[in-house]
Amino acid sequence: MVLRTESPAPPIKVETWLRGQPLTSFQPGKVYIVHFWAPWCGSCMATMSHLVQLQERYEDSGLQVVGVAALERPRTADEDRTELDAWLTKNFPNLNYRIALDVTGEMDKLWMEPSISCESPTSFVVDRAGRIAFIGRPTQLHEILPKVLNRTSRTVDDDGKPLVVDLDGSLLLTDVLYESLLNVLTLGLQPNLAAIRALAHGKAAVKHHFAQASELDYTTLPYNSCVLHLIQAAKARGRKVYLATAANANHAKAIADHLAFFDGWFASDAKTNLSGSLKAKLLTAAFGKNGFDYVGNGPSDLPVWNVADKAYGVDLSDSVKSRLISIKGTYVALTDGSAGRKAWLKAVRVHQYVKNLLVFVPLVTSHQFTLANITANVTAFLAFCACASAVYTLNDLLDLKSDRAHSSKRARPFARGLIQLRTGLLMIPALLFLSLILATTISAEFTYVLVGYFVLTSVYSVYLKRKMFVDVVVLAILYTIRIFAGGVAADIQISHWLFIFSMFMFTSLALVKRYVELSTRIDLRLPDRSDRDYRIGDVEVVTALAAASGLTAITIFALYVASPDVQRLYRHPKALWLICPILLYWIGRILMMAHRRLMDDDPIVFALRDHISAITIASIAAVVIIAI
């Protein structure tokens, strides 16, 4: 069920009340603000101060503010209650409205999810009749609240003109053409060859082919909450709302059916691309010039805004904004939740760059610390970071559908629509070009290794990661390639001991990652993934293989310590024996933490945040220093 304006307000079901008297039901004749917040939200403190002022100003008019801290962290209710109580006492000692705590997720299910709201803070206004009057950002409350408080009955829009909404970049924080293209790329050779043949028949034919061949999940696409709230408000005032898009009719119908509030839709077909002036002519014929309001986001919408009455612009560029103002004089600005700096850093996976530190392993193990070697390895590190970011971007673009169905991966910038897909497609060659420029400053041999790494990891992203155990071996090879590349960059010969140890160690960690993914599906009672060749029943075998690979890696290290090779590099080689029990403990702990469901789906990312792993690494480094 979708929660929108004029919907009956859901009940309040919370774990406990931290401030004020418990609220069991909404009282007729009163207006309520139900405000969802979290203490780690950067803008929540300013918002709460604003709510304190609203409660004080409108209390005599029947306003009641209810703050709901709906937390999803894996902690106990007592811990959250104690922490939040202390936080409120410190920051808001004179709070004048109710505060509730919910750690069960019930309030999210009743309010946030049905309203398609995912941002914090979010506010709901419940009118005197117990119906939703507003859903959106708290910053809009100072405009909305007086109207709700003064409203005694349902009003009808003055002119009754329909609201027409564009799809790509307006109602959606993405573009279904690129969504379809990326989805079809993963379906095999035949659909892609058919797409190439469709190019001969024009853009509309290509859109039609992708719409028919793709398998999009319209329920998980990123919708623009501001546009949704605008539509809901229009419907509440009795206005007609239509979808008008250059996307193919298959997409338009599926989205209209999913949202269930459009009175009709206009879209492209196999021969006609409904964009720009053509869309303007069609809407003028349907509603008359200046007979409708229009929501758009780009230069192709300018002809439509020209024949519309009121213009709504979604996150317009400066050039489009100036042109729209020259046409209409003014417009209503809406936001689409565009990416900030954190989203960009998350998209290129800056936190994953630590894996590229493996290029320094040959330098460290050979003890050849010269300025030339250090410079070459630093450059190699930067080249691998740029290359890895290109690969991560490609992987995210190809995995949009599965990421949006994942509990944590759905927050990735491309999956959420924070960064446009066409931008991601441009980022890939740009990052690769930077990577190759850096590589050529080292040597031709290093460049070949880097290209080989990109080719293998791209094949992995598109195809090999769907093959049982092949994916694990390829992951281990990709990690080992980083070590090999570091040796090539500094012209250091890598021992066969390091190669063998790396393969078994990284195979173990890759298997732990697969174990965590399978165990998560077991815990959530989900079926086997259709895009992976693993079965839930394989979890015990995967665990055994992970343990066996890890112990084999330690055995290889022990044989290395006992070999004559170690005598040439270390003055006190016997000290290296201490590393064996340290590694044995760390591998065993990793397996135990995974078994206890206390690990992320990537054990290397887990190790970066785990203080025990940090102590382990420091201990190994100390032993190596003593041995040298």
Side-chain angles (χ1 to χ4, degrees):
M1 179 180 125
V2 177
L3 187 64
R4 56 174 72 108
T5 54
E6 288 298 304
S7 296
I12 298 287
K13 292 186 178 181
V14 297
E15 186 77 12
T16 188
W17 292 89
L18 300 175
R19 297 290 186 274
Q21 295 297 316
L23 179 67
T24 56
S25 62
F26 296 113
Q27 300 300 311
K30 291 187 179 295
V31 174
Y32 294 86
I33 297 175
V34 181
H35 174 69
F36 285 77
W37 64 285
W40 54 83
C41 165
S43 61
C44 282
M45 289 190 65
T47 299
M48 292 177 72
S49 298
H50 181 52
L51 290 173
V52 168
Q53 297 172 7
L54 290 177
Q55 178 66 80
E56 183 177 353
R57 182 185 306 170
Y58 296 111
E59 184 173 7
D60 293 339
S61 299
L63 176 67
Q64 295 290 319
V65 179
V66 180
V68 179
L71 308 182
E72 299 179 352
R73 293 175 297 171
R75 300 176 53 178
T76 67
D78 288 337
E79 288 176 324
D80 281 320
R81 187 185 302 111
T82 302
E83 180 179 312
L84 278 176
D85 186 67
W87 189 88
L88 290 168
T89 301
K90 176 183 177 181
N91 295 288
F92 297 95
N94 299 316
L95 197 66
N96 59 357
Y97 63 85
R98 295 179 175 93
I99 294 289
L101 169 65
D102 175 49
V103 295
T104 64
E106 190 67 21
M107 289 295 286
D108 273 343
K109 293 178 182 177
L110 290 171
W111 293 75
M112 297 289 281
E113 292 179 10
S115 67
I116 321 180
S117 299
C118 60
E119 298 178 352
S120 182
T122 295
S123 293
F124 298 78
V125 175
V126 181
D127 66 16
R128 301 185 191 279
R131 293 184 174 274
I132 300 294
F134 168 78
I135 306 171
R137 291 178 174 83
T139 52
Q140 299 173 274
L141 289 173
H142 70 282
E143 298 178 359
I144 299 296
L145 199 55
K147 299 177 183 179
V148 178
L149 289 167
N150 294 328
R151 190 172 68 192
T152 57
S153 61
R154 179 177 174 178
T155 60
V156 180
D157 192 72
D158 292 337
D159 54 26
K161 291 179 180 178
L163 178 67
V164 181
V165 182
D166 180 43
L167 181 63
D168 297 322
S170 299
L171 176 60
L172 284 177
L173 300 178
T174 186
D175 188 314
V176 290
L177 175 59
Y178 290 101
E179 293 273 349
S180 302
L181 164 66
L182 293 166
N183 183 264
V184 170
L185 282 177
T186 64
L187 298 181
L189 184 61
Q190 186 173 351
N192 289 281
L193 291 177
I196 295 174
R197 290 194 295 269
L199 285 171
H201 302 286
K203 190 173 183 179
V206 173
K207 288 183 177 181
H208 183 70
H209 167 74
F210 281 134
Q212 287 189 315
S214 61
E215 301 171 355
L216 301 185
D217 184 352
Y218 300 97
T219 65
T220 60
L221 290 177
Y223 291 91
N224 188 329
S225 58
C226 284
V227 176
L228 286 174
H229 298 155
L230 176 67
I231 293 172
Q232 292 163 355
K235 295 296 290 184
R237 293 194 297 270
R239 299 178 65 184
K240 300 281 188 180
V241 180
Y242 295 87
L243 180 66
T245 175
N248 186 263
N250 288 0
H251 294 312
K253 182 180 185 305
I255 289 172
D257 290 345
H258 165 60
L259 295 176
F261 48 48
F262 286 110
D263 295 287
W265 51 266
F266 307 89
S268 300
D269 56 28
K271 296 181 179 180
T272 305
N273 184 38
L274 190 66
S275 180
S277 58
L278 188 59
K279 183 192 290 187
K281 291 179 182 178
L282 182 63
L283 295 177
T284 301
F287 307 112
K289 187 174 182 180
N290 300 324
F292 62 96
D293 296 339
Y294 183 71
V295 181
N297 70 294
S300 63
D301 295 309
L302 287 167
V304 188
W305 278 318
N306 189 42
V307 297
D309 183 25
K310 183 183 290 186
Y312 293 86
V314 181
D315 198 47
L316 303 183
S317 66
D318 291 338
S319 61
V320 174
K321 189 185 304 182
S322 61
R323 293 171 66 186
L324 177 57
I325 291 175
S326 67
I327 293 173
K328 304 300 292 184
T330 185
Y331 76 99
V332 180
L334 301 173
T335 183
D336 69 347
S338 296
R341 184 176 63 178
K342 289 184 178 179
W344 284 101
L345 294 177
K346 190 173 183 179
V348 298
R349 300 284 217 291
V350 170
H351 66 284
Q352 298 280 10
Y353 287 175
V354 68
K355 298 176 181 179
N356 298 321
L357 292 174
L358 290 170
V359 300
F360 293 99
V361 170
L363 183 66
V364 173
T365 55
S366 67
H367 312 158
Q368 298 182 35
F369 297 103
T370 66
L371 180 60
N373 287 348
I374 293 173
T375 302
N377 272 183
V378 169
T379 305
F381 170 78
L382 296 175
F384 263 91
C385 288
C387 183
S389 289
V391 173
Y392 284 128
T393 301
L394 175 62
N395 186 70
D396 283 356
L397 293 177
L398 295 178
D399 279 354
L400 287 170
K401 183 177 178 180
S402 59
D403 282 355
R404 287 172 182 149
H406 194 275
S407 58
S408 60
K409 293 180 181 179
R410 63 185 178 187
R412 289 177 174 175
F414 291 109
R416 284 185 60 188
L418 297 179
I419 302 177
Q420 292 297 310
L421 302 185
R422 61 178 177 270
T423 303
L425 290 171
L426 293 174
M427 285 169 56
I428 296 171
L431 288 166
L432 280 177
F433 179 75
L434 174 61
S435 177
L436 290 174
I437 290 295
L438 291 170
T440 54
T441 64
I442 300 175
S443 67
E445 291 78 8
F446 177 80
T447 304
Y448 298 148
V449 174
L450 187 66
V451 171
Y453 169 84
F454 175 76
V455 171
L456 180 58
T457 195
S458 298
V459 174
Y460 168 82
S461 296
V462 175
Y463 180 69
L464 295 180
K465 70 179 180 181
R466 295 170 175 80
K467 298 300 178 181
M468 178 187 62
F469 206 74
V470 173
D471 62 333
V472 170
V473 174
V474 172
L475 279 177
I477 292 173
L478 290 172
Y479 282 115
T480 306
I481 286 177
R482 290 177 170 95
I483 297 175
F484 176 73
V488 172
D491 197 18
I492 296 172
Q493 186 68 34
I494 301 176
S495 72
H496 61 277
W497 294 109
L498 182 55
F499 270 122
I500 300 171
F501 172 81
S502 300
M503 279 299 299
F504 279 103
M505 178 59 72
F506 293 127
T507 297
S508 177
L509 295 179
L511 284 164
V512 170
K513 181 177 182 178
R514 292 294 175 259
Y515 170 81
V516 172
E517 292 171 353
L518 290 173
S519 60
T520 299
R521 300 191 75 81
I522 292 174
D523 295 341
L524 297 176
R525 298 181 180 179
L526 297 175
D528 294 328
R529 287 183 60 168
S530 59
D531 59 344
R532 294 291 189 271
D533 200 18
Y534 290 92
R535 302 291 178 263
I536 290 176
D538 299 332
V539 66
E540 294 182 0
V541 176
V542 171
T543 311
L545 289 172
S549 296
L551 294 176
T552 301
I554 299 171
T555 303
I556 297 298
F557 184 83
L559 293 173
Y560 165 70
V561 174
S563 71
D565 296 348
V566 80
Q567 306 294 328
R568 297 192 300 268
L569 294 172
Y570 298 91
R571 286 184 295 176
H572 308 288
K574 291 183 179 180
L576 296 177
W577 283 109
L578 293 173
I579 295 179
C580 292
I582 295 174
L583 286 176
L584 186 63
Y585 164 77
W586 186 75
I587 287 293
R589 183 174 182 275
I590 285 288
L591 291 168
M592 291 297 292
M593 297 297 281
H595 179 70
R596 294 177 181 179
R597 311 302 198 258
L598 297 175
M599 182 182 292
D600 297 317
D601 58 354
D602 190 334
I604 294 180
V605 174
F606 167 80
L608 294 176
R609 298 197 297 258
D610 178 40
H611 70 281
I612 298 296
S613 295
I615 294 172
T616 300
I617 294 171
S619 300
I620 292 174
V623 171
V624 171
I625 292 172
I626 292 171
I628 294 175

